[in-house]
Amino acid sequence: MAFTINTEGARLRTPKGQQHQNGSAKAPSPTSPTSSANEHPMGAPKHGPGMQALRIVCFGIYFFGSGIFIHFAQLLGSPLYFVSKDWFYAYMALTKQYFGLLVTTMTQWWSPTVVRISGDKSMKGLIKLKDNGGGNGMLEVDFGERVVLMSNHQIYTDWLYLWWIAYTSTPPMHGHLYIILKESLKWVPLIGPAMQFYSFIFMARKWSKDQQRLRYRLQKLNSRHSGPLSGTQGGVQLDPMWLLIFPEGTNLSANTRKSSAKFAEKSSIPDMKHQILPRSTGLQFCLQELKDTVPYLYDCTIAYEGIPPGDYGQDVFTLRSVYFQGRPPKSVNMHWRRFAIKDIPFNDHDAMYEWILQRWREKDELIGEFMRTGKFPADAEGVTDEGGKEEQRYINTEVKPRSPLEFLAMFTPVLGAALVGRVSVQMVDRLTGK
């Protein structure tokens, strides 16, 4: 599932086919990883059919079972909206933390892989691998409590790793992540209502309609509140917020690459080699609305090791191959940069488009270097490894919770309510002599 925004309208859809990542046509070949399940770039499945079936069952029970518990927890807290909106939003932030725990543990158990973090000089002191002893450090980022976060969109699971980054924040921000996503997801059973409780921003991909909706949501994120959500004791301040946007509007695929190439040709601008052209309208509007309350825009360039040249991550790293067959990426690579919002030309449409286009060309060069060497070019000041014996340019870690039992918190609201209900019924029975 991809949570994305396209503020320039729906992209052209083209017949499904394969292309090189530079946009040229590519015919399936006998050695293409997408031509045969047995010739996957990650090799043969780690698990046989029987184990795959067992993993599917266990995955379904854990993901959907936990999701039901989380959604029931949301429903239990919904009456708070009519009592105190501050308490309501604080409670929903708690349930959003539960979902962050769900995707974190789900990835750790079913799709463990190396996550390699790097950054440039603008990230100095903001990304650390804490030394917990025994070589079992925990990633810790210090991006602040109110940021706009943008990223390229490689495959459907990008949002999952970015949600985990919010989990590693100090203080943890996985309960305050807001994602801009397409409106059709609003009506997905169970997931759609849960995302509405999370105050995610749904977009119809028609800017004439989306502008007012986006302004309304951003104004609410700019509103000042008091109470537990804001972290104040009777005072009033802005709520924590990480706003996630994918300026490309959709993930990288053969169809979207072809659409990007057509748009580039029509606009007389050079196309990207390893991604699709970004749009600037949505990001520009977000920065205009949040400029007085958010100091920095954080940019993540994400890439997955193991995708052959000319193929696409969504075709190589499917749900089946990653979670059930035991063929995750060799590594998930994230390169971080930070930009002061005051230095971004968000009040000039043309200048803003040129600014984001330049950032994407830099990303294209970063991804090109990654494809040649297996790593992003990184600055020694970009990350800090407290357990490293010498200067490190990369942090190698994994998606994991702080405690192996932390996931149990997801079940406490519903189980607690069930226990209270049972005790209440027993007390009533005793009082009434039944």
Side-chain angles (χ1 to χ4, degrees), residues 5-8 147-151 180 203 207 214 218 243-248 278-291 294 296-299 339 341 344-347 349 352-353 355-357 359-360 363:
I5 177 174
N6 185 341
T7 57
E8 299 290 334
V147 305
V148 175
L149 172 62
M150 72 176 183
S151 173
I180 301 174
M203 307 295 283
W207 188 237
L214 185 57
L218 294 177
L243 179 65
L244 172 59
I245 182 170
F246 295 100
E248 290 163 304
R279 308 296 187 181
S280 63
T281 305
L283 178 62
Q284 179 180 2
F285 190 79
C286 289
L287 298 185
Q288 288 174 337
E289 293 293 315
L290 299 172
K291 65 181 184 299
V294 177
Y296 292 106
L297 167 68
Y298 285 84
D299 170 55
F339 302 94
I341 289 180
I344 300 174
F346 52 78
N347 286 322
H349 180 272
M352 181 66 197
Y353 182 70
W355 184 89
I356 195 170
L357 193 61
R359 302 292 80 77
W360 246 250
K363 284 176 175 287

Side-chain angles (χ1 to χ4, degrees), residues 203-261:
M203 307 295 283
R205 295 185 174 184
K206 295 180 180 179
W207 188 237
S208 59
K209 178 181 178 180
D210 289 337
Q211 185 176 10
Q212 291 303 319
R213 182 180 301 175
L214 185 57
R215 176 179 285 114
Y216 172 77
R217 296 305 310 166
L218 294 177
Q219 287 177 348
K220 288 184 72 69
L221 292 175
N222 261 342
S223 299
R224 296 182 179 272
H225 298 90
S226 62
L229 184 61
S230 64
T232 62
Q233 299 295 327
V236 178
Q237 69 175 34
L238 290 166
D239 294 337
M241 175 209 73
W242 277 28
L243 179 65
L244 172 59
I245 182 170
F246 295 100
E248 290 163 304
T250 187
N251 64 289
L252 183 65
S253 68
N255 282 337
T256 58
R257 280 295 300 119
K258 188 172 183 179
S259 298
S260 179

Side-chain angles (χ1 to χ4, degrees), residues 103-381:
V103 297
T104 296
T105 51
M106 178 185 76
T107 303
Q108 181 191 34
W109 296 344
W110 275 273
S111 180
T113 188
V114 173
V115 180
R116 184 176 295 119
I117 311 290
S118 60
D120 68 3
K121 291 182 179 180
S122 68
M123 302 301 297
K124 183 177 180 180
L126 301 180
I127 304 176
K128 300 177 182 179
L129 187 66
K130 301 296 290 185
D131 183 12
N132 297 334
N136 189 29
M138 182 72 191
L139 183 70
E140 185 177 284
V141 304
D142 185 15
F143 294 176
E145 294 189 358
R146 288 184 61 83
V147 305
V148 175
L149 172 62
M150 72 176 183
S151 173
N152 62 318
H153 205 357
Q154 291 283 296
I155 62 177
Y156 298 118
T157 54
D158 294 337
W159 63 271
L160 183 153
Y161 292 100
L162 292 167
W163 204 323
W164 171 70
I165 290 293
Y167 170 81
T168 69
S169 173
T170 52
M173 294 297 295
H174 57 304
H176 304 289
L177 184 70
Y178 296 88
I179 305 176
I180 301 174
L181 62 158
K182 57 186 179 183
E183 189 174 41
S184 59
L185 295 173
K186 187 176 183 179
W187 311 114
V188 176
L190 182 64
I191 296 175
M195 293 189 295
Q196 293 180 57
F197 274 119
Y198 288 159
S199 299
F200 285 175
I201 303 173
F202 297 93
M203 307 295 283
R205 295 185 174 184
K206 295 180 180 179
W207 188 237
S208 59
K209 178 181 178 180
D210 289 337
Q211 185 176 10
Q212 291 303 319
R213 182 180 301 175
L214 185 57
R215 176 179 285 114
Y216 172 77
R217 296 305 310 166
L218 294 177
Q219 287 177 348
K220 288 184 72 69
L221 292 175
N222 261 342
S223 299
R224 296 182 179 272
H225 298 90
S226 62
L229 184 61
S230 64
T232 62
Q233 299 295 327
V236 178
Q237 69 175 34
L238 290 166
D239 294 337
M241 175 209 73
W242 277 28
L243 179 65
L244 172 59
I245 182 170
F246 295 100
E248 290 163 304
T250 187
N251 64 289
L252 183 65
S253 68
N255 282 337
T256 58
R257 280 295 300 119
K258 188 172 183 179
S259 298
S260 179
K262 285 184 177 180
F263 181 83
E265 182 179 4
K266 180 181 178 180
S267 305
S268 299
I269 58 176
D271 193 18
M272 301 291 163
K273 295 180 180 179
H274 311 295
Q275 47 189 352
I276 58 180
L277 288 167
R279 308 296 187 181
S280 63
T281 305
L283 178 62
Q284 179 180 2
F285 190 79
C286 289
L287 298 185
Q288 288 174 337
E289 293 293 315
L290 299 172
K291 65 181 184 299
D292 295 326
T293 65
V294 177
Y296 292 106
L297 167 68
Y298 285 84
D299 170 55
C300 178
T301 303
I302 189 167
Y304 297 83
E305 185 179 1
I307 303 174
D311 287 284
Y312 300 93
Q314 69 162 22
D315 302 320
V316 176
F317 299 120
T318 63
L319 179 67
R320 179 186 178 191
S321 66
V322 171
Y323 288 97
F324 307 142
Q325 294 181 336
R327 299 194 285 195
K330 292 181 180 178
S331 64
V332 178
N333 295 260
M334 307 176 80
H335 184 77
W336 290 91
R337 301 183 293 176
R338 183 174 74 161
F339 302 94
I341 289 180
K342 63 180 179 62
D343 297 331
I344 300 174
F346 52 78
N347 286 322
D348 186 317
H349 180 272
D350 293 338
M352 181 66 197
Y353 182 70
E354 288 300 321
W355 184 89
I356 195 170
L357 193 61
Q358 181 59 32
R359 302 292 80 77
W360 246 250
R361 298 208 184 284
E362 293 163 359
K363 284 176 175 287
D364 222 36
E365 294 177 2
L366 288 169
I367 296 174
E369 180 68 15
F370 171 81
M371 294 180 69
R372 288 188 294 271
T373 67
K375 291 183 178 181
F376 285 124
D379 195 284
E381 297 180 273

